[in-house]
Amino acid sequence: MEFENEIRNISLDGFQLVKCKYFSRMSEPVMSLFPTAISFSVAAHEALNGCESIEILVNENKKSILVKPSHSAKDSEAVKWRRGKDKPKYSRIECSIFTKKLYSSWKLNNNLTYKSMGKIVQCDKKVMLLFEFSDAEVWEGSKMVKENGQI
């Protein structure tokens, strides 16, 4: 197959931008907030090297959650998000007291689910995941109702 050497000018009329939601996000760390639970994607586990337990830090003013690996599952504040040595699946952690407080503090709708794409960050030479829910996707069941600030 040979390409033409001449570059043609074209019009963008009739073209539409394909939204990223139509492409798989399996390789991105995702955290979801449900009215009674939180969950993490397999990619979130992998981003933190498959650690067994995590610590969860919340910044209520910025609507952000920082997830960092715990040194030991026996730490008093550690949350076990993985069971045994099996490859992690999308994990769901029941924690209605925590999520009710977040939904109330952040003025979230109890009938909706909120998803945030994680960003790998570093603090004191430790890798962590930052989830910013001020710019979250909003879902009602399996239907997205708001995408990153757009309705």
Side-chain angles (χ1 to χ4, degrees):
M1 176 179 204
E2 290 185 36
F3 293 99
E4 296 177 16
N5 289 335
E6 187 177 323
I7 298 174
R8 296 183 306 155
N9 284 320
I10 64 168
S11 168
L12 295 180
D13 291 341
F15 286 91
Q16 292 180 325
L17 180 64
V18 178
K19 294 186 179 239
C20 66
K21 70 181 179 181
Y22 296 116
F23 298 92
S24 175
R25 292 190 173 162
M26 296 203 48
S27 64
E28 295 181 48
V30 176
M31 180 181 183
S32 299
L33 288 178
F34 300 90
T36 62
I38 60 174
S39 68
F40 297 93
S41 67
V42 172
H45 288 264
E46 291 171 353
L48 296 181
N49 295 317
C51 66
E52 195 171 313
S53 299
I54 56 171
E55 292 178 0
I56 298 173
L57 296 88
V58 176
N59 184 320
E60 288 193 40
N61 296 328
K62 291 185 177 182
K63 292 186 179 179
S64 297
I65 295 178
L66 188 65
V67 176
K68 67 179 203 170
S70 177
H71 296 293
S72 167
K74 295 179 182 178
D75 285 347
S76 63
E77 303 303 327
V79 175
K80 194 167 188 156
W81 73 340
R82 181 175 166 220
R83 306 252 185 261
K85 301 290 183 202
D86 295 337
K87 185 173 182 171
K89 295 180 177 146
Y90 202 94
S91 64
R92 183 176 171 112
I93 303 167
E94 296 298 322
C95 51
S96 61
I97 295 172
F98 171 64
T99 54
K100 283 180 185 178
K101 183 174 172 28
L102 276 183
Y103 271 67
S104 174
S105 174
W106 291 352
K107 297 176 178 47
L108 303 178
N109 183 328
N110 286 322
N111 298 315
L112 302 174
T113 300
Y114 297 82
K115 293 184 180 187
S116 175
M117 301 300 132
K119 296 178 184 105
I120 297 173
V121 296
Q122 186 175 336
C123 181
D124 298 328
K125 298 183 181 181
K126 294 179 182 149
V127 173
M128 302 173 198
L129 285 172
L130 177 65
F131 298 95
E132 297 175 298
F133 284 91
S134 60
D135 194 30
E137 293 177 353
V138 182
W139 292 75
E140 185 171 21
S142 61
K143 179 184 172 194
M144 186 186 302
V145 293
K146 180 180 165 201
E147 180 180 19
N148 298 330
Q150 299 176 345
I151 296 177

